[in-house]
Short mmCIF file of all heavy atoms in Angstrom, two decimals:
data_model
loop_
_atom_site.label_atom_id
_atom_site.label_comp_id
_atom_site.label_asym_id
_atom_site.label_seq_id
_atom_site.Cartn_x
_atom_site.Cartn_y
_atom_site.Cartn_z
N MET Y 1 138.08 -26.88 -74.50
CA MET Y 1 138.09 -26.41 -73.19
C MET Y 1 139.24 -25.32 -73.02
O MET Y 1 139.04 -24.36 -72.28
CB MET Y 1 138.38 -27.53 -72.17
CG MET Y 1 138.26 -27.08 -70.77
SD MET Y 1 136.55 -26.69 -70.35
CE MET Y 1 136.67 -26.56 -68.62
N GLY Y 2 140.29 -25.48 -73.73
CA GLY Y 2 141.45 -24.53 -73.64
C GLY Y 2 141.08 -23.19 -74.20
O GLY Y 2 141.49 -22.13 -73.77
N ILE Y 3 140.15 -23.19 -75.24
CA ILE Y 3 139.75 -21.98 -75.87
C ILE Y 3 138.90 -21.15 -74.90
O ILE Y 3 139.02 -19.95 -74.80
CB ILE Y 3 138.94 -22.19 -77.19
CG1 ILE Y 3 139.89 -22.86 -78.17
CG2 ILE Y 3 138.33 -21.00 -77.71
CD1 ILE Y 3 139.19 -23.32 -79.47
N LEU Y 4 138.01 -21.86 -74.16
CA LEU Y 4 137.20 -21.14 -73.21
C LEU Y 4 138.03 -20.50 -72.05
O LEU Y 4 137.78 -19.41 -71.64
CB LEU Y 4 136.17 -22.16 -72.59
CG LEU Y 4 135.07 -22.56 -73.54
CD1 LEU Y 4 134.15 -23.56 -72.79
CD2 LEU Y 4 134.21 -21.37 -73.89
N ILE Y 5 139.03 -21.24 -71.62
CA ILE Y 5 139.93 -20.70 -70.55
C ILE Y 5 140.70 -19.47 -71.12
O ILE Y 5 140.80 -18.44 -70.40
CB ILE Y 5 140.85 -21.71 -70.04
CG1 ILE Y 5 140.09 -22.82 -69.34
CG2 ILE Y 5 141.94 -21.16 -69.13
CD1 ILE Y 5 140.88 -23.97 -68.88
N SER Y 6 141.15 -19.56 -72.36
CA SER Y 6 141.88 -18.43 -72.97
C SER Y 6 140.94 -17.24 -73.10
O SER Y 6 141.38 -16.07 -72.87
CB SER Y 6 142.42 -18.83 -74.29
OG SER Y 6 143.37 -19.87 -74.14
N LEU Y 7 139.71 -17.45 -73.51
CA LEU Y 7 138.76 -16.36 -73.67
C LEU Y 7 138.44 -15.73 -72.34
O LEU Y 7 138.39 -14.53 -72.23
CB LEU Y 7 137.48 -16.89 -74.37
CG LEU Y 7 137.57 -17.29 -75.83
CD1 LEU Y 7 136.24 -17.93 -76.28
CD2 LEU Y 7 137.86 -16.07 -76.66
N LEU Y 8 138.22 -16.55 -71.32
CA LEU Y 8 137.94 -16.00 -69.99
C LEU Y 8 139.09 -15.13 -69.46
O LEU Y 8 138.93 -14.12 -68.92
CB LEU Y 8 137.59 -17.13 -69.07
CG LEU Y 8 137.25 -16.81 -67.62
CD1 LEU Y 8 135.98 -15.88 -67.62
CD2 LEU Y 8 137.06 -17.98 -66.80
N ILE Y 9 140.37 -15.64 -69.60
CA ILE Y 9 141.51 -14.93 -69.13
C ILE Y 9 141.61 -13.67 -69.88
O ILE Y 9 141.92 -12.58 -69.30
CB ILE Y 9 142.78 -15.82 -69.30
CG1 ILE Y 9 142.74 -16.95 -68.27
CG2 ILE Y 9 144.00 -15.00 -69.06
CD1 ILE Y 9 143.82 -18.01 -68.42
N THR Y 10 141.39 -13.65 -71.17
CA THR Y 10 141.52 -12.44 -71.94
C THR Y 10 140.48 -11.43 -71.52
O THR Y 10 140.77 -10.22 -71.40
CB THR Y 10 141.33 -12.76 -73.55
OG1 THR Y 10 142.26 -13.71 -73.89
CG2 THR Y 10 141.43 -11.48 -74.30
N ILE Y 11 139.29 -11.85 -71.26
CA ILE Y 11 138.21 -10.89 -70.86
C ILE Y 11 138.53 -10.30 -69.48
O ILE Y 11 138.36 -9.14 -69.26
CB ILE Y 11 136.84 -11.62 -70.87
CG1 ILE Y 11 136.37 -11.89 -72.31
CG2 ILE Y 11 135.80 -10.73 -70.14
CD1 ILE Y 11 135.21 -12.81 -72.43
N LEU Y 12 139.05 -11.16 -68.59
CA LEU Y 12 139.46 -10.67 -67.30
C LEU Y 12 140.57 -9.71 -67.38
O LEU Y 12 140.58 -8.69 -66.62
CB LEU Y 12 139.80 -11.89 -66.40
CG LEU Y 12 138.70 -12.77 -65.93
CD1 LEU Y 12 139.17 -13.98 -65.20
CD2 LEU Y 12 137.75 -11.99 -65.04
N VAL Y 13 141.56 -9.93 -68.21
CA VAL Y 13 142.68 -8.99 -68.34
C VAL Y 13 142.20 -7.71 -68.92
O VAL Y 13 142.64 -6.62 -68.48
CB VAL Y 13 143.78 -9.64 -69.19
CG1 VAL Y 13 144.84 -8.68 -69.61
CG2 VAL Y 13 144.43 -10.83 -68.47
N ILE Y 14 141.36 -7.68 -69.91
CA ILE Y 14 140.80 -6.47 -70.50
C ILE Y 14 140.07 -5.74 -69.42
O ILE Y 14 140.25 -4.51 -69.34
CB ILE Y 14 139.87 -6.87 -71.71
CG1 ILE Y 14 140.69 -7.38 -72.82
CG2 ILE Y 14 139.12 -5.57 -72.15
CD1 ILE Y 14 139.82 -8.00 -73.96
N GLY Y 15 139.25 -6.37 -68.70
CA GLY Y 15 138.55 -5.68 -67.59
C GLY Y 15 139.43 -5.02 -66.55
O GLY Y 15 139.21 -3.99 -66.08
N LEU Y 16 140.52 -5.81 -66.18
CA LEU Y 16 141.46 -5.30 -65.23
C LEU Y 16 142.20 -4.11 -65.74
O LEU Y 16 142.29 -3.05 -65.05
CB LEU Y 16 142.45 -6.37 -64.78
CG LEU Y 16 143.49 -5.98 -63.82
CD1 LEU Y 16 142.86 -5.64 -62.49
CD2 LEU Y 16 144.49 -7.06 -63.66
N VAL Y 17 142.63 -4.16 -67.00
CA VAL Y 17 143.32 -3.01 -67.57
C VAL Y 17 142.42 -1.80 -67.70
O VAL Y 17 142.80 -0.68 -67.45
CB VAL Y 17 143.95 -3.38 -68.96
CG1 VAL Y 17 144.51 -2.20 -69.72
CG2 VAL Y 17 145.02 -4.50 -68.81
N LEU Y 18 141.17 -2.04 -68.06
CA LEU Y 18 140.23 -0.89 -68.18
C LEU Y 18 140.02 -0.25 -66.78
O LEU Y 18 139.89 1.02 -66.67
CB LEU Y 18 138.92 -1.33 -68.84
CG LEU Y 18 138.95 -1.61 -70.32
CD1 LEU Y 18 137.64 -2.18 -70.74
CD2 LEU Y 18 139.29 -0.35 -71.09
N TYR Y 19 139.92 -1.09 -65.82
CA TYR Y 19 139.77 -0.57 -64.40
C TYR Y 19 140.97 0.23 -63.98
O TYR Y 19 140.83 1.32 -63.44
CB TYR Y 19 139.50 -1.79 -63.45
CG TYR Y 19 139.50 -1.36 -62.06
CD1 TYR Y 19 138.38 -0.71 -61.47
CD2 TYR Y 19 140.57 -1.61 -61.18
CE1 TYR Y 19 138.43 -0.34 -60.12
CE2 TYR Y 19 140.61 -1.23 -59.84
CZ TYR Y 19 139.49 -0.60 -59.35
OH TYR Y 19 139.49 -0.24 -57.98
N LEU Y 20 142.21 -0.35 -64.27
CA LEU Y 20 143.34 0.48 -63.83
C LEU Y 20 143.47 1.72 -64.67
O LEU Y 20 144.00 2.75 -64.09
CB LEU Y 20 144.54 -0.46 -64.13
CG LEU Y 20 144.65 -1.64 -63.19
CD1 LEU Y 20 145.86 -2.58 -63.58
CD2 LEU Y 20 144.78 -1.20 -61.76
N VAL Y 21 143.14 1.75 -65.91
CA VAL Y 21 143.20 3.01 -66.71
C VAL Y 21 142.26 4.05 -66.08
O VAL Y 21 142.55 5.23 -65.99
CB VAL Y 21 142.82 2.73 -68.16
CG1 VAL Y 21 142.55 3.99 -68.93
CG2 VAL Y 21 143.88 1.96 -68.83
N ARG Y 22 141.06 3.65 -65.67
CA ARG Y 22 140.13 4.57 -65.01
C ARG Y 22 140.70 5.16 -63.71
O ARG Y 22 140.37 6.26 -63.31
CB ARG Y 22 138.81 3.88 -64.66
CG ARG Y 22 137.90 3.91 -65.88
CD ARG Y 22 136.55 3.42 -65.48
NE ARG Y 22 136.38 2.11 -66.22
CZ ARG Y 22 135.95 1.04 -65.65
NH1 ARG Y 22 135.61 0.98 -64.42
NH2 ARG Y 22 135.84 -0.06 -66.34
N MET Y 23 141.59 4.41 -63.03
CA MET Y 23 142.18 4.88 -61.75
C MET Y 23 143.32 5.87 -61.97
O MET Y 23 143.76 6.54 -60.98
CB MET Y 23 142.64 3.70 -60.90
CG MET Y 23 141.59 2.85 -60.44
SD MET Y 23 140.57 3.77 -59.35
CE MET Y 23 139.07 2.87 -59.31
N LEU Y 24 143.84 5.91 -63.17
CA LEU Y 24 145.01 6.82 -63.43
C LEU Y 24 144.66 8.30 -63.37
O LEU Y 24 143.56 8.64 -63.85
CB LEU Y 24 145.64 6.50 -64.85
CG LEU Y 24 146.35 5.16 -65.02
CD1 LEU Y 24 146.72 5.04 -66.43
CD2 LEU Y 24 147.58 5.13 -64.13
N PRO Y 25 145.49 9.12 -62.80
CA PRO Y 25 145.18 10.51 -62.76
C PRO Y 25 145.44 11.23 -64.05
O PRO Y 25 146.41 12.05 -64.15
CB PRO Y 25 146.08 11.07 -61.62
CG PRO Y 25 147.22 10.11 -61.61
CD PRO Y 25 146.72 8.79 -62.05
N LEU Y 26 144.73 10.96 -65.09
CA LEU Y 26 144.98 11.56 -66.40
C LEU Y 26 143.74 12.41 -66.81
O LEU Y 26 142.70 12.32 -66.17
CB LEU Y 26 145.22 10.48 -67.49
CG LEU Y 26 146.43 9.60 -67.39
CD1 LEU Y 26 146.38 8.47 -68.37
CD2 LEU Y 26 147.71 10.37 -67.44
N ASP Y 27 143.95 13.15 -67.92
CA ASP Y 27 142.85 13.92 -68.44
C ASP Y 27 141.79 12.91 -69.01
O ASP Y 27 142.08 11.85 -69.42
CB ASP Y 27 143.44 14.79 -69.56
CG ASP Y 27 142.36 15.79 -70.13
OD1 ASP Y 27 141.53 16.18 -69.32
OD2 ASP Y 27 142.45 16.02 -71.33
N ALA Y 28 140.58 13.35 -68.98
CA ALA Y 28 139.43 12.45 -69.37
C ALA Y 28 139.58 12.07 -70.82
O ALA Y 28 139.24 10.96 -71.17
CB ALA Y 28 138.13 13.17 -69.10
N GLN Y 29 140.03 12.98 -71.70
CA GLN Y 29 140.17 12.67 -73.10
C GLN Y 29 141.22 11.58 -73.31
O GLN Y 29 141.07 10.69 -74.16
CB GLN Y 29 140.44 13.91 -73.89
CG GLN Y 29 140.47 13.74 -75.43
CD GLN Y 29 140.62 15.06 -76.09
OE1 GLN Y 29 140.98 16.04 -75.48
NE2 GLN Y 29 140.48 15.05 -77.41
N ILE Y 30 142.36 11.68 -72.57
CA ILE Y 30 143.35 10.70 -72.74
C ILE Y 30 142.91 9.34 -72.24
O ILE Y 30 143.21 8.31 -72.84
CB ILE Y 30 144.64 11.18 -71.98
CG1 ILE Y 30 145.20 12.45 -72.68
CG2 ILE Y 30 145.70 10.07 -71.92
CD1 ILE Y 30 146.27 13.07 -71.93
N LYS Y 31 142.14 9.36 -71.13
CA LYS Y 31 141.52 8.07 -70.57
C LYS Y 31 140.67 7.41 -71.68
O LYS Y 31 140.73 6.24 -71.85
CB LYS Y 31 140.80 8.32 -69.34
CG LYS Y 31 141.61 8.48 -68.12
CD LYS Y 31 140.72 8.59 -66.93
CE LYS Y 31 141.48 8.96 -65.69
NZ LYS Y 31 140.62 9.06 -64.55
N ASN Y 32 139.88 8.25 -72.34
CA ASN Y 32 138.95 7.67 -73.34
C ASN Y 32 139.75 7.11 -74.49
O ASN Y 32 139.37 5.99 -74.97
CB ASN Y 32 138.02 8.76 -73.86
CG ASN Y 32 136.92 9.09 -72.85
OD1 ASN Y 32 136.61 8.28 -71.99
ND2 ASN Y 32 136.36 10.26 -72.99
N ILE Y 33 140.80 7.73 -74.91
CA ILE Y 33 141.64 7.16 -76.01
C ILE Y 33 142.27 5.88 -75.66
O ILE Y 33 142.25 4.95 -76.38
CB ILE Y 33 142.70 8.28 -76.46
CG1 ILE Y 33 142.01 9.43 -77.07
CG2 ILE Y 33 143.65 7.62 -77.42
CD1 ILE Y 33 142.87 10.64 -77.35
N VAL Y 34 142.82 5.88 -74.46
CA VAL Y 34 143.52 4.65 -73.91
C VAL Y 34 142.47 3.48 -73.77
O VAL Y 34 142.78 2.30 -74.16
CB VAL Y 34 144.25 4.89 -72.59
CG1 VAL Y 34 144.74 3.55 -72.02
CG2 VAL Y 34 145.33 5.89 -72.84
N GLN Y 35 141.26 3.79 -73.25
CA GLN Y 35 140.20 2.76 -73.15
C GLN Y 35 139.84 2.21 -74.52
O GLN Y 35 139.63 0.99 -74.66
CB GLN Y 35 139.03 3.30 -72.46
CG GLN Y 35 139.27 3.52 -70.95
CD GLN Y 35 138.09 4.13 -70.22
OE1 GLN Y 35 137.18 4.66 -70.90
NE2 GLN Y 35 138.06 4.16 -68.92
N ILE Y 36 139.75 3.11 -75.47
CA ILE Y 36 139.39 2.61 -76.83
C ILE Y 36 140.45 1.72 -77.43
O ILE Y 36 140.19 0.66 -78.04
CB ILE Y 36 139.12 3.80 -77.73
CG1 ILE Y 36 137.78 4.54 -77.35
CG2 ILE Y 36 139.02 3.38 -79.20
CD1 ILE Y 36 137.54 5.83 -78.04
N ILE Y 37 141.71 2.11 -77.25
CA ILE Y 37 142.82 1.31 -77.68
C ILE Y 37 142.79 -0.05 -77.02
O ILE Y 37 142.98 -1.10 -77.66
CB ILE Y 37 144.16 2.00 -77.46
CG1 ILE Y 37 144.24 3.23 -78.38
CG2 ILE Y 37 145.34 1.07 -77.74
CD1 ILE Y 37 145.44 4.14 -78.07
N VAL Y 38 142.62 -0.11 -75.67
CA VAL Y 38 142.52 -1.37 -74.97
C VAL Y 38 141.45 -2.21 -75.54
O VAL Y 38 141.53 -3.43 -75.67
CB VAL Y 38 142.45 -1.15 -73.46
CG1 VAL Y 38 142.11 -2.41 -72.71
CG2 VAL Y 38 143.71 -0.51 -72.93
N ILE Y 39 140.22 -1.64 -75.74
CA ILE Y 39 139.10 -2.43 -76.19
C ILE Y 39 139.36 -2.94 -77.59
O ILE Y 39 139.07 -4.15 -77.88
CB ILE Y 39 137.84 -1.58 -76.21
CG1 ILE Y 39 137.42 -1.30 -74.72
CG2 ILE Y 39 136.70 -2.26 -76.98
CD1 ILE Y 39 136.31 -0.30 -74.63
N ILE Y 40 139.98 -2.24 -78.52
CA ILE Y 40 140.29 -2.72 -79.82
C ILE Y 40 141.29 -3.83 -79.77
O ILE Y 40 141.14 -4.91 -80.39
CB ILE Y 40 140.84 -1.54 -80.68
CG1 ILE Y 40 139.70 -0.62 -81.00
CG2 ILE Y 40 141.50 -2.01 -82.00
CD1 ILE Y 40 140.13 0.70 -81.70
N ILE Y 41 142.34 -3.73 -78.99
CA ILE Y 41 143.31 -4.78 -78.78
C ILE Y 41 142.66 -6.02 -78.23
O ILE Y 41 142.94 -7.18 -78.67
CB ILE Y 41 144.50 -4.31 -77.94
CG1 ILE Y 41 145.30 -3.32 -78.72
CG2 ILE Y 41 145.39 -5.49 -77.59
CD1 ILE Y 41 146.39 -2.55 -77.85
N GLY Y 42 141.80 -5.85 -77.22
CA GLY Y 42 141.06 -6.98 -76.69
C GLY Y 42 140.18 -7.67 -77.72
O GLY Y 42 140.14 -8.91 -77.75
N ILE Y 43 139.44 -6.90 -78.54
CA ILE Y 43 138.61 -7.51 -79.56
C ILE Y 43 139.45 -8.33 -80.55
O ILE Y 43 139.05 -9.44 -80.96
CB ILE Y 43 137.76 -6.46 -80.26
CG1 ILE Y 43 136.71 -5.93 -79.24
CG2 ILE Y 43 137.09 -7.00 -81.49
CD1 ILE Y 43 135.95 -4.75 -79.80
N ILE Y 44 140.56 -7.71 -80.95
CA ILE Y 44 141.47 -8.44 -81.89
C ILE Y 44 141.98 -9.75 -81.36
O ILE Y 44 142.01 -10.77 -81.96
CB ILE Y 44 142.60 -7.59 -82.35
CG1 ILE Y 44 142.08 -6.42 -83.24
CG2 ILE Y 44 143.72 -8.31 -83.13
CD1 ILE Y 44 143.09 -5.34 -83.55
N SER Y 45 142.33 -9.68 -80.02
CA SER Y 45 142.85 -10.94 -79.41
C SER Y 45 141.77 -11.94 -79.25
O SER Y 45 141.97 -13.17 -79.44
CB SER Y 45 143.57 -10.64 -78.05
OG SER Y 45 142.61 -10.16 -77.12
N LEU Y 46 140.58 -11.51 -78.91
CA LEU Y 46 139.46 -12.46 -78.82
C LEU Y 46 139.14 -13.06 -80.20
O LEU Y 46 138.87 -14.36 -80.27
CB LEU Y 46 138.21 -11.75 -78.28
CG LEU Y 46 138.24 -11.45 -76.81
CD1 LEU Y 46 137.01 -10.61 -76.42
CD2 LEU Y 46 138.31 -12.69 -75.93
N LEU Y 47 139.18 -12.35 -81.21
CA LEU Y 47 138.94 -12.86 -82.57
C LEU Y 47 140.04 -13.81 -83.00
O LEU Y 47 139.79 -14.81 -83.67
CB LEU Y 47 138.83 -11.68 -83.61
CG LEU Y 47 137.58 -10.84 -83.48
CD1 LEU Y 47 137.58 -9.70 -84.43
CD2 LEU Y 47 136.33 -11.65 -83.71
N ARG Y 48 141.23 -13.58 -82.54
CA ARG Y 48 142.37 -14.52 -82.83
C ARG Y 48 142.16 -15.80 -82.15
O ARG Y 48 142.39 -16.86 -82.68
CB ARG Y 48 143.69 -13.79 -82.42
CG ARG Y 48 144.88 -14.59 -82.91
CD ARG Y 48 146.08 -13.86 -82.54
NE ARG Y 48 145.98 -13.18 -81.25
CZ ARG Y 48 147.03 -13.11 -80.39
NH1 ARG Y 48 148.21 -13.54 -80.76
NH2 ARG Y 48 146.85 -12.54 -79.23
N TYR Y 49 141.67 -15.78 -80.89
CA TYR Y 49 141.42 -17.05 -80.24
C TYR Y 49 140.25 -17.80 -80.86
O TYR Y 49 140.24 -19.00 -80.77
CB TYR Y 49 141.07 -16.82 -78.74
CG TYR Y 49 142.24 -16.54 -77.90
CD1 TYR Y 49 142.23 -15.35 -77.06
CD2 TYR Y 49 143.33 -17.35 -77.82
CE1 TYR Y 49 143.37 -15.05 -76.30
CE2 TYR Y 49 144.42 -17.06 -77.05
CZ TYR Y 49 144.46 -15.88 -76.32
OH TYR Y 49 145.49 -15.64 -75.48
N LEU Y 50 139.33 -17.14 -81.49
CA LEU Y 50 138.21 -17.82 -82.16
C LEU Y 50 138.54 -18.14 -83.58
O LEU Y 50 137.70 -18.60 -84.30
CB LEU Y 50 136.99 -16.86 -82.14
CG LEU Y 50 136.43 -16.56 -80.71
CD1 LEU Y 50 135.27 -15.53 -80.86
CD2 LEU Y 50 135.84 -17.90 -80.14
N ALA Y 51 139.84 -18.00 -83.95
CA ALA Y 51 140.34 -18.42 -85.25
C ALA Y 51 139.73 -17.66 -86.38
O ALA Y 51 139.52 -18.16 -87.47
CB ALA Y 51 140.20 -19.91 -85.48
N VAL Y 52 139.38 -16.43 -86.16
CA VAL Y 52 138.88 -15.57 -87.23
C VAL Y 52 140.02 -15.01 -88.05
O VAL Y 52 139.95 -14.93 -89.27
CB VAL Y 52 137.99 -14.42 -86.71
CG1 VAL Y 52 137.60 -13.43 -87.85
CG2 VAL Y 52 136.78 -14.89 -85.95
N PHE Y 53 141.11 -14.73 -87.38
CA PHE Y 53 142.34 -14.24 -88.12
C PHE Y 53 143.31 -15.32 -88.26
O PHE Y 53 143.48 -16.18 -87.49
CB PHE Y 53 143.05 -13.17 -87.27
CG PHE Y 53 142.29 -11.85 -87.32
CD1 PHE Y 53 141.98 -11.22 -86.10
CD2 PHE Y 53 141.88 -11.31 -88.48
CE1 PHE Y 53 141.28 -10.00 -86.12
CE2 PHE Y 53 141.21 -10.07 -88.47
CZ PHE Y 53 140.89 -9.45 -87.29
#
């Protein structure tokens, strides 16, 4: 049960960070780079919770 809660919290945080990045007044190319970095970090943390790493 703890793993499911951790996964849910991680997904919610990733979604919130992506939403906040979209709201920043930055250049579109910089936004895309930041969004890709956030997604990669999110995938790595999700894989860590699933004990892949």
